[in-house]
Amino acid sequence: MTLAPTAAHPSTRTAPAFRGRIGSDARSGHYAVPRRYRLHLSTACPDGLRIAVAHSLLELGDTCPASFLPAVPDRPDSGHSALRPLYEASAHRYPGPALAPVLSDDWSGRIVSTHAPDIMRDLDRHYGGCRASLYPCGAESEIDAVERMCAQDIEEAAQNAGTAGAGQAERETALETLLRSLGALDRWLTGRTYMIRDQITVADVELWVTLVQLDTVHRHHLDAAAVERIAAHPALWGYARRLAAHPAFGAHLDLDAISRRHHARCRGLEAAGAAVQILDWAAHTTRTAAEPSRSADRR
Protein backbone atom coordinates (compact mmCIF):
# COMPACT_ATOMS: atom_id res chain seq x y z
CA MET A 1 0.00 0.00 0.00
CA THR A 2 1.45 3.36 -1.01
CA LEU A 3 0.62 6.06 1.48
CA ALA A 4 0.29 8.91 -1.01
CA PRO A 5 -2.53 11.48 -0.86
CA THR A 6 -5.46 10.63 -3.11
CA ALA A 7 -6.89 13.23 -5.43
CA ALA A 8 -8.92 15.81 -3.59
CA HIS A 9 -12.60 16.25 -4.26
CA PRO A 10 -15.42 17.87 -2.29
CA SER A 11 -15.86 16.31 1.15
CA THR A 12 -19.21 15.21 2.55
CA ARG A 13 -18.18 16.41 6.01
CA THR A 14 -19.76 19.59 7.37
CA ALA A 15 -17.71 22.73 6.74
CA PRO A 16 -16.44 24.25 10.01
CA ALA A 17 -18.10 27.45 11.18
CA PHE A 18 -14.98 28.69 13.01
CA ARG A 19 -11.32 27.97 12.28
CA GLY A 20 -9.24 29.88 14.82
CA ARG A 21 -5.94 28.39 15.97
CA ILE A 22 -4.06 28.22 19.24
CA GLY A 23 -0.75 30.01 18.74
CA SER A 24 2.55 29.76 20.58
CA ASP A 25 2.79 33.35 21.85
CA ALA A 26 0.68 36.32 22.94
CA ARG A 27 0.67 37.88 19.47
CA SER A 28 -1.52 35.06 18.16
CA GLY A 29 -4.41 36.12 20.43
CA HIS A 30 -5.14 32.53 21.41
CA TYR A 31 -1.88 31.56 23.06
CA ALA A 32 -1.38 28.33 24.98
CA VAL A 33 -2.25 28.56 28.68
CA PRO A 34 -3.31 25.60 30.84
CA ARG A 35 -7.07 25.52 31.54
CA ARG A 36 -7.80 28.48 29.26
CA TYR A 37 -9.58 26.35 26.66
CA ARG A 38 -12.43 23.87 26.91
CA LEU A 39 -13.70 21.13 24.60
CA HIS A 40 -17.40 20.52 24.01
CA LEU A 41 -17.88 17.06 22.53
CA SER A 42 -20.43 14.43 21.71
CA THR A 43 -18.63 11.10 21.34
CA ALA A 44 -21.59 9.78 19.34
CA CYS A 45 -20.31 12.09 16.58
CA PRO A 46 -17.25 10.83 14.65
CA ASP A 47 -15.33 14.10 15.01
CA GLY A 48 -16.18 14.27 18.70
CA LEU A 49 -14.95 10.71 19.17
CA ARG A 50 -11.70 11.49 17.32
CA ILE A 51 -10.99 14.50 19.54
CA ALA A 52 -11.94 12.63 22.73
CA VAL A 53 -9.51 9.81 21.92
CA ALA A 54 -6.70 12.25 21.07
CA HIS A 55 -7.46 14.23 24.25
CA SER A 56 -7.08 11.06 26.33
CA LEU A 57 -3.93 9.93 24.53
CA LEU A 58 -2.38 13.33 25.33
CA GLU A 59 -3.64 13.14 28.96
CA LEU A 60 -5.14 16.62 28.83
CA GLY A 61 -8.02 16.18 31.27
CA ASP A 62 -6.69 18.88 33.61
CA THR A 63 -4.97 21.09 31.03
CA CYS A 64 -7.93 21.39 28.66
CA PRO A 65 -11.18 20.22 30.33
CA ALA A 66 -13.86 18.53 28.24
CA SER A 67 -17.63 18.85 28.55
CA PHE A 68 -19.67 16.02 27.05
CA LEU A 69 -22.93 16.65 25.22
CA PRO A 70 -25.97 14.46 24.53
CA ALA A 71 -25.82 12.01 21.65
CA VAL A 72 -28.92 13.54 20.06
CA PRO A 73 -28.98 17.37 19.85
CA ASP A 74 -31.99 18.97 21.55
CA ARG A 75 -32.77 21.74 19.03
CA PRO A 76 -34.97 21.41 15.91
CA ASP A 77 -32.06 22.58 13.73
CA SER A 78 -29.92 19.67 15.02
CA GLY A 79 -27.86 21.99 17.21
CA HIS A 80 -27.14 21.89 20.94
CA SER A 81 -28.83 24.42 23.23
CA ALA A 82 -25.81 24.29 25.55
CA LEU A 83 -23.59 25.61 22.74
CA ARG A 84 -25.93 28.35 21.53
CA PRO A 85 -24.51 31.08 23.84
CA LEU A 86 -20.98 30.36 22.58
CA TYR A 87 -22.06 30.62 18.94
CA GLU A 88 -23.98 33.84 19.49
CA ALA A 89 -21.09 35.38 21.45
CA SER A 90 -18.72 34.46 18.62
CA ALA A 91 -20.85 35.68 15.69
CA HIS A 92 -23.64 38.23 16.11
CA ARG A 93 -27.00 36.65 15.29
CA TYR A 94 -25.32 33.45 14.14
CA PRO A 95 -27.87 31.89 11.75
CA GLY A 96 -26.79 28.25 11.72
CA PRO A 97 -27.10 25.36 14.17
CA ALA A 98 -24.84 25.21 17.23
CA LEU A 99 -22.91 22.08 16.34
CA ALA A 100 -20.25 20.12 18.19
CA PRO A 101 -17.31 19.70 18.40
CA VAL A 102 -16.25 23.08 19.76
CA LEU A 103 -13.01 24.35 21.24
CA SER A 104 -13.89 27.45 23.29
CA ASP A 105 -11.87 30.09 25.09
CA ASP A 106 -13.01 30.43 28.72
CA TRP A 107 -11.35 33.85 28.96
CA SER A 108 -13.47 35.44 26.26
CA GLY A 109 -16.46 33.09 26.26
CA ARG A 110 -16.08 32.63 22.51
CA ILE A 111 -15.34 29.83 20.09
CA VAL A 112 -11.82 29.26 18.85
CA SER A 113 -12.53 26.43 16.41
CA THR A 114 -15.09 23.88 15.28
CA HIS A 115 -12.63 22.16 12.92
CA ALA A 116 -11.63 18.79 14.39
CA PRO A 117 -8.28 18.32 12.55
CA ASP A 118 -7.06 21.79 13.61
CA ILE A 119 -8.19 21.22 17.19
CA MET A 120 -6.29 17.95 17.45
CA ARG A 121 -3.16 19.41 15.86
CA ASP A 122 -3.16 22.38 18.23
CA LEU A 123 -3.70 20.26 21.33
CA ASP A 124 -0.83 18.01 20.29
CA ARG A 125 1.52 20.84 19.32
CA HIS A 126 0.98 23.13 22.30
CA TYR A 127 -0.01 20.78 25.11
CA GLY A 128 1.52 17.43 24.20
CA GLY A 129 4.57 18.11 26.35
CA CYS A 130 7.08 15.28 26.57
CA ARG A 131 4.62 12.63 25.34
CA ALA A 132 5.10 11.04 21.95
CA SER A 133 3.51 13.28 19.33
CA LEU A 134 0.37 12.17 17.52
CA TYR A 135 1.81 14.04 14.52
CA PRO A 136 5.42 12.77 14.22
CA CYS A 137 7.87 14.91 12.33
CA GLY A 138 7.99 13.92 8.67
CA ALA A 139 4.67 12.03 8.75
CA GLU A 140 2.50 14.81 7.31
CA SER A 141 1.95 13.26 3.89
CA GLU A 142 1.20 9.84 5.37
CA ILE A 143 -1.33 11.28 7.81
CA ASP A 144 -2.95 13.26 4.99
CA ALA A 145 -3.21 10.10 2.89
CA VAL A 146 -4.90 8.16 5.69
CA GLU A 147 -7.33 11.01 6.40
CA ARG A 148 -8.33 11.24 2.73
CA MET A 149 -8.69 7.50 2.35
CA CYS A 150 -10.92 7.35 5.41
CA ALA A 151 -13.09 10.28 4.29
CA GLN A 152 -13.40 9.47 0.60
CA ASP A 153 -12.71 5.79 0.00
CA ILE A 154 -14.30 4.39 3.16
CA GLU A 155 -16.86 6.78 4.68
CA GLU A 156 -18.14 8.33 1.46
CA ALA A 157 -17.94 5.05 -0.46
CA ALA A 158 -19.84 3.18 2.27
CA GLN A 159 -22.51 5.86 2.34
CA ASN A 160 -22.91 5.79 -1.44
CA ALA A 161 -22.99 1.98 -1.48
CA GLY A 162 -25.95 2.05 0.89
CA THR A 163 -27.91 4.91 -0.66
CA ALA A 164 -31.35 3.60 -1.53
CA GLY A 165 -32.02 6.24 -4.18
CA ALA A 166 -28.84 5.53 -6.13
CA GLY A 167 -28.69 3.27 -9.16
CA GLN A 168 -27.39 -0.28 -8.87
CA ALA A 169 -24.27 0.49 -10.92
CA GLU A 170 -23.45 3.48 -8.72
CA ARG A 171 -23.87 1.43 -5.55
CA GLU A 172 -21.72 -1.40 -6.92
CA THR A 173 -18.96 1.03 -7.93
CA ALA A 174 -18.97 2.58 -4.45
CA LEU A 175 -18.85 -0.85 -2.82
CA GLU A 176 -15.89 -1.88 -4.96
CA THR A 177 -14.08 1.33 -3.98
CA LEU A 178 -14.75 0.55 -0.33
CA LEU A 179 -13.60 -3.07 -0.61
CA ARG A 180 -10.49 -2.11 -2.56
CA SER A 181 -9.50 0.35 0.18
CA LEU A 182 -10.18 -2.13 2.97
CA GLY A 183 -8.14 -4.75 1.13
CA ALA A 184 -5.19 -2.38 0.80
CA LEU A 185 -5.38 -1.53 4.49
CA ASP A 186 -5.64 -5.19 5.44
CA ARG A 187 -2.47 -6.02 3.52
CA TRP A 188 -0.67 -2.97 4.94
CA LEU A 189 -1.56 -3.87 8.53
CA THR A 190 -0.56 -7.52 8.26
CA GLY A 191 2.36 -7.85 10.66
CA ARG A 192 2.04 -4.24 11.85
CA THR A 193 0.80 -2.95 15.20
CA TYR A 194 0.05 0.64 14.18
CA MET A 195 -0.73 2.41 10.94
CA ILE A 196 2.33 4.49 10.01
CA ARG A 197 4.83 4.35 12.91
CA ASP A 198 5.81 2.06 15.79
CA GLN A 199 3.59 4.19 18.05
CA ILE A 200 0.00 5.43 18.05
CA THR A 201 -0.45 8.45 15.82
CA VAL A 202 -3.45 10.46 14.69
CA ALA A 203 -3.60 8.14 11.65
CA ASP A 204 -4.65 5.36 14.04
CA VAL A 205 -7.26 7.59 15.67
CA GLU A 206 -8.66 8.51 12.25
CA LEU A 207 -8.79 4.96 10.93
CA TRP A 208 -10.20 3.45 14.12
CA VAL A 209 -13.09 5.92 14.31
CA THR A 210 -13.80 5.32 10.62
CA LEU A 211 -13.98 1.56 11.22
CA VAL A 212 -16.29 2.11 14.20
CA GLN A 213 -18.61 4.11 11.94
CA LEU A 214 -18.43 1.51 9.21
CA ASP A 215 -19.58 -1.26 11.57
CA THR A 216 -22.01 0.67 13.77
CA VAL A 217 -23.62 2.97 11.20
CA HIS A 218 -22.91 2.29 7.51
CA ARG A 219 -23.45 -1.48 7.51
CA HIS A 220 -27.10 -0.91 8.46
CA HIS A 221 -27.74 0.21 4.88
CA LEU A 222 -25.81 -2.55 3.09
CA ASP A 223 -26.92 -6.05 2.21
CA ALA A 224 -25.64 -9.01 4.20
CA ALA A 225 -23.33 -10.21 1.42
CA ALA A 226 -21.61 -6.83 1.27
CA VAL A 227 -21.08 -6.78 5.04
CA GLU A 228 -19.63 -10.30 4.93
CA ARG A 229 -17.12 -9.09 2.31
CA ILE A 230 -16.27 -6.07 4.46
CA ALA A 231 -15.70 -8.32 7.47
CA ALA A 232 -13.32 -10.58 5.51
CA HIS A 233 -10.24 -8.50 6.37
CA PRO A 234 -8.78 -10.16 9.49
CA ALA A 235 -5.70 -7.95 9.93
CA LEU A 236 -7.76 -4.77 9.67
CA TRP A 237 -10.48 -5.79 12.10
CA GLY A 238 -7.92 -7.37 14.44
CA TYR A 239 -6.21 -3.97 14.51
CA ALA A 240 -9.54 -2.27 15.32
CA ARG A 241 -10.14 -4.77 18.11
CA ARG A 242 -6.69 -4.16 19.64
CA LEU A 243 -7.19 -0.40 19.68
CA ALA A 244 -10.63 -0.80 21.25
CA ALA A 245 -8.90 -2.49 24.19
CA HIS A 246 -6.70 0.59 24.71
CA PRO A 247 -8.25 2.77 27.48
CA ALA A 248 -7.94 6.00 25.49
CA PHE A 249 -10.03 4.46 22.70
CA GLY A 250 -12.44 2.09 24.43
CA ALA A 251 -13.36 4.44 27.27
CA HIS A 252 -15.04 6.78 24.79
CA LEU A 253 -16.90 4.20 22.72
CA ASP A 254 -20.60 4.56 23.58
CA LEU A 255 -22.40 2.18 21.25
CA ASP A 256 -25.86 3.10 22.51
CA ALA A 257 -25.19 6.81 21.93
CA ILE A 258 -23.93 6.17 18.39
CA SER A 259 -27.04 4.12 17.66
CA ARG A 260 -29.39 6.79 19.01
CA ARG A 261 -27.65 9.52 17.02
CA HIS A 262 -27.81 7.42 13.85
CA HIS A 263 -31.50 6.62 14.19
CA ALA A 264 -32.34 10.24 15.00
CA ARG A 265 -30.55 11.54 11.88
CA CYS A 266 -30.90 8.79 9.30
CA ARG A 267 -33.73 8.74 6.77
CA GLY A 268 -32.40 5.80 4.75
CA LEU A 269 -33.75 2.28 4.58
CA GLU A 270 -32.34 -0.42 6.84
CA ALA A 271 -30.96 -3.43 4.95
CA ALA A 272 -30.05 -7.00 5.85
CA GLY A 273 -26.50 -5.98 6.77
CA ALA A 274 -27.88 -4.48 9.99
CA ALA A 275 -28.04 -8.00 11.40
CA VAL A 276 -24.41 -8.86 10.56
CA GLN A 277 -22.21 -7.29 13.22
CA ILE A 278 -18.53 -7.30 12.29
CA LEU A 279 -17.01 -6.82 15.76
CA ASP A 280 -18.43 -7.29 19.23
CA TRP A 281 -17.09 -3.90 20.29
CA ALA A 282 -18.48 -4.06 23.81
CA ALA A 283 -16.54 -7.26 24.49
CA HIS A 284 -13.22 -5.64 23.60
CA THR A 285 -13.50 -2.10 24.94
CA THR A 286 -11.59 -1.09 28.04
CA ARG A 287 -13.31 1.29 30.44
CA THR A 288 -11.36 2.80 33.31
CA ALA A 289 -11.96 4.89 36.40
CA ALA A 290 -10.93 7.88 34.29
CA GLU A 291 -13.83 7.33 31.90
CA PRO A 292 -15.53 10.71 31.24
CA SER A 293 -18.87 11.41 32.80
CA ARG A 294 -21.88 11.35 30.49
CA SER A 295 -24.09 13.15 33.01
CA ALA A 296 -25.03 15.66 30.30
CA ASP A 297 -26.34 12.87 28.08
CA ARG A 298 -29.95 12.61 29.25
CA ARG A 299 -32.21 10.28 27.36
Side-chain angles (χ1 to χ4, degrees):
M1 173 183 175
T2 301
L3 285 175
T6 56
H9 60 79
S11 173
T12 58
R13 296 183 182 180
T14 303
F18 299 90
R19 285 198 66 173
R21 303 297 298 269
I22 297 176
S24 58
D25 57 48
R27 291 172 297 178
S28 68
H30 293 116
Y31 54 96
V33 176
R35 301 190 68 81
R36 174 176 177 176
Y37 304 101
R38 179 177 299 273
L39 291 166
H40 307 263
L41 308 172
S42 170
T43 56
C45 160
D47 278 343
L49 182 55
R50 289 181 181 97
I51 296 172
V53 171
H55 183 260
S56 289
L57 288 169
L58 294 169
E59 300 178 13
L60 298 182
D62 291 331
T63 304
C64 180
S67 298
F68 291 91
L69 299 162
V72 181
D74 58 348
R75 291 179 62 91
D77 60 1
S78 298
H80 293 274
S81 293
L83 297 179
R84 195 72 208 172
L86 284 171
Y87 272 80
E88 292 180 349
S90 306
H92 183 57
R93 294 183 178 179
Y94 179 77
L99 303 176
V102 164
L103 175 69
S104 68
D105 179 358
D106 281 353
W107 290 7
S108 67
R110 296 181 178 182
I111 294 171
V112 178
S113 180
T114 59
H115 188 239
D118 287 351
I119 292 171
M120 290 191 290
R121 282 181 170 85
D122 286 351
L123 292 178
D124 180 79
R125 180 178 301 135
H126 299 297
Y127 295 111
C130 61
R131 299 176 190 85
S133 176
L134 297 180
Y135 295 84
C137 182
E140 292 83 359
S141 63
E142 295 168 289
I143 289 171
D144 181 67
V146 173
E147 289 177 344
R148 287 195 178 181
M149 173 178 279
C150 289
Q152 298 175 4
D153 298 335
I154 300 179
E155 289 182 15
E156 187 174 316
Q159 185 171 348
N160 290 340
T163 300
Q168 182 176 352
E170 183 180 350
R171 293 197 302 271
E172 289 177 354
T173 297
L175 179 60
E176 288 306 315
T177 296
L178 171 62
L179 292 170
R180 185 167 57 250
S181 300
L182 297 181
L185 287 166
D186 190 68
R187 292 188 295 274
W188 178 263
L189 285 165
T190 299
R192 296 175 184 266
T193 303
Y194 303 118
M195 188 62 198
I196 62 173
R197 292 290 188 271
D198 58 359
Q199 66 186 62
I200 293 175
T201 68
V202 76
D204 298 295
V205 177
E206 182 75 30
L207 178 55
W208 184 77
V209 172
T210 299
L211 294 175
V212 168
Q213 287 290 301
L214 182 57
D215 190 17
T216 62
V217 173
H218 295 304
R219 71 172 168 84
H220 287 265
H221 305 289
L222 300 171
D223 63 41
V227 177
E228 293 287 358
R229 295 174 70 188
I230 290 168
H233 297 93
L236 179 61
W237 293 106
Y239 159 88
R241 184 172 58 246
R242 290 194 305 273
L243 288 182
H246 189 296
F249 290 77
H252 295 291
L253 184 56
D254 189 336
L255 300 171
D256 178 65
I258 293 172
S259 177
R260 285 187 286 121
R261 179 180 185 270
H262 172 60
H263 289 296
R265 291 164 51 93
C266 182
R267 298 295 180 265
L269 301 176
E270 189 168 279
V276 187
Q277 186 180 32
I278 298 172
L279 282 188
D280 183 355
W281 296 93
H284 301 293
T285 55
T286 300
R287 296 187 177 273
T288 69
E291 181 180 358
S293 171
R294 296 295 191 270
S295 59
D297 193 355
R298 307 293 187 189
R299 297 189 188 183

